[in-house]
């Protein structure tokens, strides 16, 4: 313990880390208190007021950022070596920034009707106008004082002054909730900032600058105003690009999607900013320390990159997994509208690490033009993609634009500039610096362990990154990561957003001709008064939208076939439902079946309208082991009742084998014929066929009605989960299936959802010896004992269940046949273990 404490003290004694952590602590404290601030704002103020005030705050931040001319970067770069000119340099920076802010903010107010009409209230009276102008000027000093503290190597004061600001603005937010509700957020923000300016700057000018001037340092060339001006002038362009990339986004959302949409965007954006601030904060410390000793730039930059990754990656994972729970603090609507956006923004913080490191390195080397190129590229990508994706996907499109932009630039930098920096000189820089740090890593020793190559690990990794194409293994790994992080539904929503809008428009166009064909229901208004409520499902097979009276709960589902071959699927379900409703053996069990209200074809478009079954989807009842176990019991008992009521005993003959085996095996042969290991797959299929024929042919088995797709997505439950209220999507049902396959598919699909794995992964594990839980085994034993007939080996049942399910998917949605990754994960992976 004492050794760990000593190492921690030594680690924090290093200015490179101490000041970086201080800036991160400042961001974390500000962001944490900021979360509390926005929680209070969301609950104490109207949503529209939150949207308008947050847009006004963003405008103030943007204008102040424009007005400070990126002098904050100049302070970081030149203040550490300014010597006796430190006080004069900082005073001039303040004066220039405040003067520009006054002019820029007045121009902004005068032109509000051109570039931000939604913020017109700022020009509605002289008081609001003056308030906004003065606040913008004060914010310039507020921003520059943080850079001044960092440049003076006194960043430990930054979290203190920012915490004071955060606490003050929360106090004013609460105070203004009743007395000043319309502009309370803007007032709390600006007044809270104002009360911290004087004490902080007294500290800087009266105490910290005199102390800094007396400190010994490496001799730097004297400050030449022309050189500083050139540096600031070029770097200012980069800062403008960064400001446009960040502070203009809430304004863009407000203008294109409205104030309410911006409220749902702004809170995830503010949370993600906390994570993204880690990289530039550590980068600021990198700039200051590398200016003091430029010989350590390469070693420092790598150390800082690793340290940032150790912090950012776990935090990004937490935000990705916990997004809905975090946003639910603000209210259910914020969680519903913003969870997926927060996930995308959190992921973007990972590539931002490399972009931020490169910008810091370029500033130390005074290659500000290179930094500007990165920031300008990011600005163009973010704003352009956000403009178009916002129209296509709503606020989710802005998150996608941010992630794509950061990732593209990071890949370019890693494969070029950063690769060159770290591979060319990291080893010798590390050896010269002799940095040994139990917390930050020992580059010299780690490089030495690689032998005479020097820096081999980093060099080799970056070289491989540049030259290697995406292999199948990489794609599989990315897929596993996305599935584990619950990102696949997010990506699916993004991919299908535009297509869903098209489908919804088509359903809306056909609706006036569909409604008159619907059979009336006694407990609802006439169908001719119904409207579309929302789209609930869309895939290559069909589009499903809910229908019902306006301003009431939906009462019916409209299903539209999306292609001619899929019309047969709709008609097939109608035939199945008609046969099931007519089967007197089922008795009262038939209440669980959907009722068809209409089935027609209009303009060569086949459609079916079904009465909506009550209950909640079973996928929402998988949160805890207890809920999952209860679902398995009630679902097994309910589907088992269908099996028992409709069961007959028969000998498995050629006709049954044709349906159970021949057709599904032919589907597998066709889809695996073009795979790289087609020969091996073909042999595995023949082994599978032989094993299943031997196990099934000539056996006397019970067959019955089976659902064929008995998964949580097709099961509806009572609110307490104690009973089923409906079973939907019967197009794969058959009257002569093996009953146990329904229960097997339920158990397999529940494992898929809970574990975030593909069906092929689950089946492969079972075939390789992974066992069922005692609870699952008991359910299957009870189902098997309830019906007469011979016993079929569990291995054969698992194989048959998998075979029939994947072949049904290939038949229903031919797009999967062309998806190499899906085929490899769900078909080839299983064949390899046969």
């Amino acid at each position: 313990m004492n050794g760990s404490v000593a190492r921690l003290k030594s680690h924090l004694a290093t200015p490179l880390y101490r000041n970086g952590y201080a800036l991160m602590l400042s961001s974390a404290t500000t962001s944490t208190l900021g979360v509390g601030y926005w929680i209070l704002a969301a609950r104490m103020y109207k949503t529209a007021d939150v949207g308008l005030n947050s847009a006004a705050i963003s405008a103030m931040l943007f204008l102040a950022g424009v007005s400070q001319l990126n002098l904050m970067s100049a302070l970081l770069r030149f203040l550490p070596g300014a010597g006796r000119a430190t006080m004069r340099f900082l005073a001039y920076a303040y004066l220039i920034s405040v003067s520009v802010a006054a002019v820029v903010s007045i121009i902004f107010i005068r032109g509000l009707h051109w570039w931000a009409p939604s913020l017109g209230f700022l020009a509605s009276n002289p008081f609001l106008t003056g308030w906004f102008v003065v606040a913008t000027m004060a914010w310039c000093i507020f921003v520059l004082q943080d850079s001044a503290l960092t440049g003076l190597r006194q960043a430990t004061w930054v979290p203190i002054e920012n915490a004071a600001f955060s606490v003050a603005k929360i106090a004013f937010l609460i105070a203004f909730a009743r007395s000043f509700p319309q502009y309370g957020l803007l007032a709390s923000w600006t007044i809270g900032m104002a009360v911290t300016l004087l004490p902080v700057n007294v500290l800087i000018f009266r105490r910290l600058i005199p102390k800094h001037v007396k400190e010994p340092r490496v001799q730097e060339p004297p400050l030449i105003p022309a050189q500083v001006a050139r540096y600031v002038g070029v770097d200012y362009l980069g800062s403008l690009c960064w400001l446009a990339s960040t502070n203009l986004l809430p304004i863009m959302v407000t203008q294109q999607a409205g104030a309410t949409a911006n409220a749902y965007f702004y809170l995830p954006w503010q949370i993600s900013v906390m994570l993204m601030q880690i990289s530039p904060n550590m980068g600021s410390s990198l700039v200051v320390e590398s200016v003091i000793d430029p010989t350590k730039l390469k070693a420092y930059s790598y150390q800082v990159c690793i340290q940032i990754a150790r912090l950012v990656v776990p935090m990004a994972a937490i935000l990705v997994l916990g997004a809905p729970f975090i946003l639910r603090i603000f209210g259910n609507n914020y969680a519903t509208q913003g969870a997926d956006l927060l996930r995308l923004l959190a992921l973007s913080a990972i590539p931002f690490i490399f972009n931020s490191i490169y910008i810091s390195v370029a500033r130390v080397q005074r290659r500000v033009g290179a930094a500007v190129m990165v920031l300008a590229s990011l600005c163009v990508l973010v704003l352009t993609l956000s403009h178009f994706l916002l129209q296509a996907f709503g606020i989710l499109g802005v998150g996608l634009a941010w992630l794509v932009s950061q990732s593209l630039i990071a890949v370019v930098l890693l494969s070029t500039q950063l690769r060159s920096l770290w591979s060319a000189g990291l080893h010798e820089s590390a050896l010269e610096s002799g940095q040994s740090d139990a917390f930050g890593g020992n580059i010299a020793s780690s490089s030495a362990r690689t032998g005479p190559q020097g820096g081999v690990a980093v060099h080799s990794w970056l070289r491989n990154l540049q030259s290697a194409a995406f292999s199948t293994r990489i794609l599989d790994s990315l897929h596993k990561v996305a599935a584990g992080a619950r990102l696949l539904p997010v990506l699916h929503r993004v991919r299908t957003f535009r297509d869903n809008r098209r489908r919804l428009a088509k359903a809306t166009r056909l609706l006036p001709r569909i409604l008159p064909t619907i059979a009336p229901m006694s407990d609802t208004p006439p169908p001719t008064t119904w409207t579309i409520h929302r789209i609930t499902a869309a895939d290559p097979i069909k589009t499903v939208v809910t229908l019902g009276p306006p301003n009431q709960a939906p009462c019916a589902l409209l299903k539209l076939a999306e292609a001619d071959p899929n019309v047969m699927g709709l008609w097939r379900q109608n035939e199945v439902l008609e046969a099931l409703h007519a089967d007197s053996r089922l008795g009262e069990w038939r209440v669980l079946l959907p009722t068809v209200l209409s089935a027609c074809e209009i303009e060569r478009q086949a459609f079916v309208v079904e009465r909506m079954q009550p209950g909640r989807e079973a996928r929402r009842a998988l949160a805890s082991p207890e809920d999952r176990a209860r679902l398995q019991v009630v679902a097994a008992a309910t589907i088992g009742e269908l099996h028992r009521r409709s069961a007959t005993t028969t000998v498995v003959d050629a006709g049954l084998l044709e349906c159970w085996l021949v057709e599904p095996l032919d589907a597998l042969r066709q889809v695996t014929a073009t795979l790289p290991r087609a020969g091996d797959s073909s042999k595995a299929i023949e082994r599978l066929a032989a094993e299943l024929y031997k196990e099934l042919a000539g056996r006397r088995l019970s067959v019955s009605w089976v659902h064929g797709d008995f998964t949580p997505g097709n099961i509806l439950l009572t609110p307490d989960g104690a009973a089923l209220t409906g079973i939907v999507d019967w197009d794969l049902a058959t009257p002569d299936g093996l009953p146990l396959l329904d229960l097997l598919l339920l158990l397999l699909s529940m494992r898929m959802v809970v574990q975030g794995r593909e069906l092929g992964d689950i089946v492969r594990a079972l075939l390789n010896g992974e066992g069922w839980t005692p609870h699952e085994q008991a359910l299957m034993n009870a189902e098997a004992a309830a019906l007469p007939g011979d016993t079929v080996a569990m291995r054969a049942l698992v194989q048959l269940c998998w075979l029939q399910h994947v072949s049904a998917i290939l038949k229903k949605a031919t797009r999967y046949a062309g998806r190499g990754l899906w085929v490899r994960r769900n078909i080839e992976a299983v064949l390899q273990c046969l």
Side-chain angles (χ1 to χ4, degrees), residues 34-101:
V35 169
Y37 176 89
W38 289 110
I39 291 173
L40 292 173
R43 296 185 178 275
M44 300 175 68
Y45 292 80
K46 296 179 180 178
T47 302
D49 288 337
V50 173
L52 280 177
N53 277 255
S54 62
I57 292 170
S58 292
M60 181 190 72
L61 300 182
F62 173 72
L63 294 176
V66 170
S67 303
Q68 55 92 11
L69 303 176
N70 207 32
L71 289 169
M72 57 188 300
S73 176
L75 293 177
L76 290 174
R77 177 60 184 83
F78 295 106
L79 210 58
R84 296 183 181 278
T86 301
M87 187 173 297
R88 185 170 64 254
F89 182 40
L90 180 58
Y92 276 126
Y94 280 2
L95 179 62
I96 293 171
S97 181
V98 168
S99 301
V100 175

Side-chain angles (χ1 to χ4, degrees), residues 476-495:
D476 287 347
S477 299
L478 291 174
H479 185 274
K480 290 179 180 178
V481 170
R486 314 295 189 190
L487 286 176
L488 294 182
V490 180
L491 298 176
H492 177 73
R493 281 186 57 190
V494 171
R495 183 175 58 82

Side-chain angles (χ1 to χ4, degrees), residues 316-339:
I318 291 172
L319 287 181
V320 167
L321 296 175
F325 308 102
I326 295 169
L327 290 176
R328 196 164 292 139
I329 299 173
F330 300 94
N332 289 332
N333 287 339
Y334 288 92
T336 302
Q337 299 293 330

Side-chain angles (χ1 to χ4, degrees), residues 253-277:
V253 173
T254 302
Q255 288 297 113
Q256 292 187 219
T260 300
N262 184 52
Y264 296 136
F265 166 79
Y266 198 74
L267 294 183
W269 176 250
Q270 289 298 303
I271 293 173
S272 66
V273 164
M274 173 184 69
L275 189 59
M276 288 187 285
Q277 281 299 315

Side-chain angles (χ1 to χ4, degrees), residues 498-550:
R498 185 182 292 274
D499 195 39
N500 286 352
R501 291 180 62 182
R502 176 189 61 78
R503 294 172 185 230
L504 192 58
K506 181 170 68 174
T508 303
R509 180 176 57 82
L510 294 174
L511 188 63
R513 301 180 61 184
I514 294 174
L515 293 179
T517 69
I518 300 175
M521 294 190 295
S522 59
D523 54 347
T524 62
T528 52
T529 65
W530 294 357
T531 61
I532 291 177
H533 285 230
R534 67 185 182 92
I535 188 168
T536 63
D539 54 43
I541 303 169
K542 61 182 178 296
T543 299
V544 182
V545 298
T546 57
L547 303 177

Side-chain angles (χ1 to χ4, degrees), residues 309-322:
R310 288 172 174 168
L311 298 168
V312 168
V313 173
M315 293 178 66
I318 291 172
L319 287 181
V320 167
L321 296 175

